Amino acid sequence: MQISAEQLVGDARETNTMTPPPKQVVLDQTELENKGNVADARQVYEIWMMTVTPQQHSCLGYIKFELRYNEVKRAEQIYEKLVQCHPQAGSWIHYAKKCYERAVQKVRTDDKEAENLFVEFAKFEEESKEIERARDVYKFALNSIPSARAENLHKKFVKFEKQYGNKEVIEDSIVEKRRCQYEEEVRKNPLDYNTWSDYICLEETIANIPPTEEKQYWKRYIYLWINCALYEELVAKDIDRTRDVYRQCLKLIPHHKFSFAKMWLLAAQFEIWQQNLEGARKILGNSIGRAPKCKVFKNYIEIELQLGNVNHCRTLYGEYLRWAPQNCSAWIKFAQLEKSLSETQGARAIFELAVVQPALDTPELLWKEYINFEISEGEYERARQLYARLVFRTKHLNVWISYANFEATAGVDMLGDQVSLASLFEQKKQCLHHARRVFETAVNYFKTSVPEQKEERAMLLKEWLNMESSFGNLGDISLVQDNMPKKLKRRREAISKDGCTGYEECYEDYFPEETPDPNLKILKTAYMWKRQRFGQKNLND
């Protein structure tokens, strides 16, 4: 049987004993929170607190609950009760640890006292026998605080690693400290070439790979390899040594976690300069197989295209799109390649396959290219069908306008200079009819399906009016003018920054079928009566 939170609170107030609530209470609390009923879940936690000496795990669970909903003040009150009821060292350590964690989140790293906070936090973790947490605090601080203000932090970290770290970690700590010193010295005096020389020697002597498989720690390390390869190639003129540098670097990178497209491309470009095309293909193919990247695909395709290997380009595009089917740019480039080869059916098949993908990064660009492709081929009926499919999917204002503009000019530019005036007149008449039908459908959609989008509807009518005007005598602006909205001034309630309530004047669009104000309707009727009785001239007077 389920026990409500209100019943449990009443029972706890009546008994107020040290006996913990039944196990079902905990289950109810979890279920209440999962259902989003935070208030009742909090009441269940309060039941635990009503005992004379609430259990330690109950207090900690309640604290975590309040912190999940950012109720810091409540969590602090529960911590105070925890250390009162259980004044053991463990409770105080847990309380202090949370205070340090909150301080690290709130204090800005450019604060002059931030370094001292991190040092004290790490020292606290060290004294609590939490060595790994202390090491993480030091590393986080060294990555957050500028090196110019972290000298004491480096000293403390080196001392800490000498006591708890292994040989490799200690060496890395010392190297990092020396690196920061060199950076500070060359920042103060960029012309101190002795310091620059020592700094370069320090970097060149680093043989160990970064200790963690996180890309941010590998970027600088990889640039050391790049500089080494460029030196061997351009200065030492040692081709075999350069090739070996690239090969060794690519072996060290943990491609299962991350990779560096720049290194793959540099290695392949080097082989091309050495007229070793097969070697370059092998490197790029290996890159695609182990760690595919858009940049690698693009460069590989460009190389093969320059060599005229069209079939190889098609194969690469196939691999590219199997790996990244959401990449609209790749689909468009592939279709453009087929079009440049006069393979119209192939380009159309690629576009058709692209638009049915379940997820695309920039679908609007893909549809635009597909439609423009059909227009360039003179396939206006196909383009019309594509527009119909697109507006069925998106119903966006810009799509409706683009569709109508297409219909307003479809086929006119294909008639040529020798066409008769009668044929031109008939074609324009057909274009106007199609465009007007699109605008009517679009206006009806915004009027009935999304009446709240008044601004979009007004913009659509404005575009329709401009289109009718552009057709001259063929157009009929009265079809649109009767549906145009009127901007009416009204007062609406507004709340200022200081919380005061007032009113402000604003303009809103009102369409003919709307009645914004009964009094306004009366005034409009009176105006029309006066106009009919006295005539337009006397009315203007």
Side-chain angles (χ1 to χ4, degrees):
M1 181 180 68
Q2 295 288 329
I3 303 174
S4 67
E6 292 80 1
Q7 292 173 339
L8 288 171
V9 171
D11 294 342
R13 285 172 180 165
E14 292 176 2
T15 58
N16 195 24
T17 63
M18 294 182 62
T19 304
K23 187 175 182 180
Q24 182 63 37
V25 177
V26 182
L27 295 176
D28 285 349
Q29 169 270 322
T30 305
E31 293 174 0
L32 288 169
E33 186 177 359
N34 290 337
K35 293 177 180 178
N37 198 341
V38 179
D40 286 351
R42 183 176 286 113
Q43 283 187 333
V44 175
Y45 274 117
E46 284 292 339
I47 296 171
W48 290 90
M49 298 297 104
M50 289 178 184
T51 59
V52 177
T53 306
Q55 297 181 10
Q56 187 177 18
H57 70 85
S58 305
C59 295
L60 294 177
Y62 194 6
I63 290 168
K64 292 179 181 179
F65 168 81
E66 295 294 2
L67 290 178
R68 279 199 296 272
Y69 297 98
N70 202 27
E71 294 289 346
V72 179
K73 292 294 184 182
R74 288 178 175 272
E76 290 178 352
Q77 294 172 1
I78 304 168
Y79 265 125
E80 291 293 337
K81 187 166 185 178
L82 170 65
V83 296
Q84 288 177 5
C85 298
H86 301 278
Q88 295 91 345
S91 300
W92 286 103
I93 289 173
H94 200 283
Y95 193 5
K97 187 177 295 184
K98 282 295 178 184
C99 292
Y100 273 122
E101 289 175 354
R102 285 198 62 215
V104 169
Q105 294 174 355
K106 297 294 183 181
V107 173
R108 296 176 49 170
T109 54
D110 57 356
D111 191 328
K112 295 181 179 179
E113 299 295 327
E115 181 185 10
N116 295 335
L117 171 65
F118 283 112
V119 170
E120 292 299 325
F121 190 8
K123 189 185 299 182
F124 167 79
E125 295 289 2
E126 181 183 353
E127 292 174 353
S128 301
K129 308 301 181 184
E130 296 283 353
I131 305 303
E132 288 302 320
R133 282 180 59 89
R135 181 176 285 111
D136 291 339
V137 171
Y138 276 122
K139 289 181 178 180
F140 177 79
L142 290 172
N143 290 330
S144 304
I145 298 178
S147 57
R149 295 191 292 103
E151 183 177 355
N152 183 44
L153 192 63
H154 277 291
K155 291 180 180 179
K156 296 289 186 181
F157 186 39
V158 172
K159 182 179 179 181
F160 170 84
E161 291 296 355
K162 286 181 178 179
Q163 183 175 356
Y164 299 103
N166 53 37
K167 180 180 178 181
E168 290 76 11
V169 176
I170 294 172
E171 289 177 351
D172 290 341
S173 303
I174 296 173
V175 168
E176 184 62 29
K177 180 180 178 181
R178 290 173 61 191
R179 181 184 288 117
C180 293
Q181 292 174 347
Y182 286 140
E183 288 180 353
E184 183 64 22
E185 291 177 14
V186 298
R187 188 182 296 110
K188 292 179 180 178
N189 185 10
L191 299 179
D192 187 354
Y193 298 112
N194 290 330
T195 303
W196 278 112
S197 178
D198 294 339
Y199 193 6
I200 292 171
C201 291
L202 172 68
E203 298 293 353
E204 288 181 346
T205 55
I206 299 175
N208 295 326
I209 63 175
T212 59
E213 291 184 351
E214 294 183 24
K215 193 169 184 177
Q216 59 177 332
Y217 299 113
W218 280 71
K219 289 181 179 179
R220 189 167 183 173
Y221 178 72
I222 291 299
Y223 271 104
L224 290 176
W225 283 92
I226 292 175
N227 290 333
C228 181
L230 294 177
Y231 171 81
E232 295 292 349
E233 179 184 0
L234 303 176
V235 180
K237 307 292 183 182
D238 191 334
I239 303 304
D240 293 334
R241 175 72 174 165
T242 305
R243 184 175 287 113
D244 187 59
V245 170
Y246 281 123
R247 187 181 296 114
Q248 291 299 323
C249 179
L250 291 172
K251 285 182 179 179
L252 290 174
I253 299 173
H255 300 290
H256 62 285
K257 285 290 187 67
F258 55 84
S259 188
F260 291 90
K262 188 178 186 68
M263 181 58 72
W264 289 106
L265 294 174
L266 284 174
Q269 193 67 53
F270 166 75
E271 296 296 347
I272 292 174
W273 288 337
Q274 305 306 316
Q275 300 182 357
N276 183 13
L277 184 58
E278 289 304 317
R281 282 174 172 163
K282 185 176 180 180
I283 291 172
L284 294 172
N286 193 20
S287 172
I288 291 173
R290 299 184 64 184
K293 295 271 188 179
C294 291
K295 189 181 294 185
V296 175
F297 274 112
K298 291 177 182 178
N299 281 268
Y300 196 180
I301 291 170
E302 185 64 27
I303 292 170
E304 295 295 347
L305 193 59
Q306 291 177 358
L307 295 171
N309 295 324
V310 177
N311 289 332
H312 203 173
C313 290
R314 287 169 173 158
T315 303
L316 289 173
Y317 269 122
E319 293 294 329
Y320 189 3
L321 292 169
R322 270 191 288 272
W323 172 68
Q326 77 285 351
N327 192 323
C328 290
S329 176
W331 286 107
I332 292 170
K333 292 289 185 182
F334 192 9
Q336 289 175 346
L337 171 64
E338 296 295 338
K339 181 183 178 182
S340 67
L341 299 171
S342 300
E343 293 288 346
T344 304
Q345 293 300 326
R348 183 176 289 120
I350 291 169
F351 275 124
E352 192 60 36
L353 185 60
V355 296
V356 298
Q357 295 299 315
L360 295 168
D361 52 7
T362 53
E364 64 280 0
L365 296 180
L366 180 63
W367 280 94
K368 181 180 178 181
E369 287 291 332
Y370 192 3
I371 292 170
N372 289 340
F373 163 76
E374 295 294 1
I375 294 174
S376 67
E377 295 293 325
E379 297 287 349
Y380 295 104
E381 187 57 37
R382 288 181 179 271
R384 185 174 289 113
Q385 293 173 5
L386 287 175
Y387 267 120
R389 289 167 60 186
L390 184 56
V391 296
F392 178 77
R393 283 191 174 196
T394 176
K395 302 292 193 304
H396 194 276
L397 171 66
N398 292 337
V399 177
W400 285 111
I401 294 174
S402 179
Y403 188 7
N405 290 335
F406 158 76
E407 293 290 10
T409 59
V412 175
D413 54 344
M414 299 291 291
L415 294 176
D417 298 332
Q418 305 299 324
V419 68
S420 64
L421 292 177
S423 298
L424 181 61
F425 179 82
E426 187 63 29
Q427 182 64 35
K428 285 189 174 182
K429 190 176 179 180
Q430 289 292 327
C431 288
L432 176 59
H433 172 71
H434 289 303
R436 190 177 286 163
R437 187 171 59 184
V438 173
F439 274 121
E440 289 173 349
T441 306
V443 170
N444 183 62
Y445 165 74
F446 281 101
K447 179 180 178 180
T448 58
S449 299
V450 283
E452 70 279 1
Q453 296 184 13
K454 293 185 176 182
E455 185 176 354
E456 287 79 358
R457 182 180 169 190
M459 292 174 63
L460 187 66
L461 288 167
K462 185 177 180 181
E463 289 289 335
W464 187 1
L465 185 64
N466 293 337
M467 189 271 294
E468 294 285 352
S469 300
S470 67
F471 274 87
N473 294 332
L474 283 175
D476 186 1
I477 60 175
S478 63
L479 293 175
V480 190
Q481 285 180 331
D482 294 340
N483 295 312
M484 291 294 290
K486 299 184 183 299
K487 288 191 176 294
L488 300 178
K489 184 189 295 186
R490 61 181 294 270
R491 297 177 67 199
R492 66 182 178 187
E493 187 175 346
I495 301 176
S496 61
K497 294 181 179 180
D498 56 1
C500 297
T501 303
Y503 292 90
E504 63 178 5
E505 291 185 345
C506 64
Y507 288 90
E508 285 191 4
D509 290 328
Y510 284 95
F511 291 89
E513 72 274 8
E514 297 178 319
T515 306
D517 192 342
N519 296 328
L520 187 64
K521 187 175 182 180
I522 294 173
L523 291 174
K524 185 177 179 180
T525 304
Y527 176 81
M528 296 300 297
W529 174 82
K530 188 175 181 181
R531 182 176 179 179
Q532 293 174 358
R533 181 170 182 178
F534 297 101
Q536 182 65 36
K537 183 177 179 180
N538 295 334
L539 186 62
N540 292 337
D541 293 341

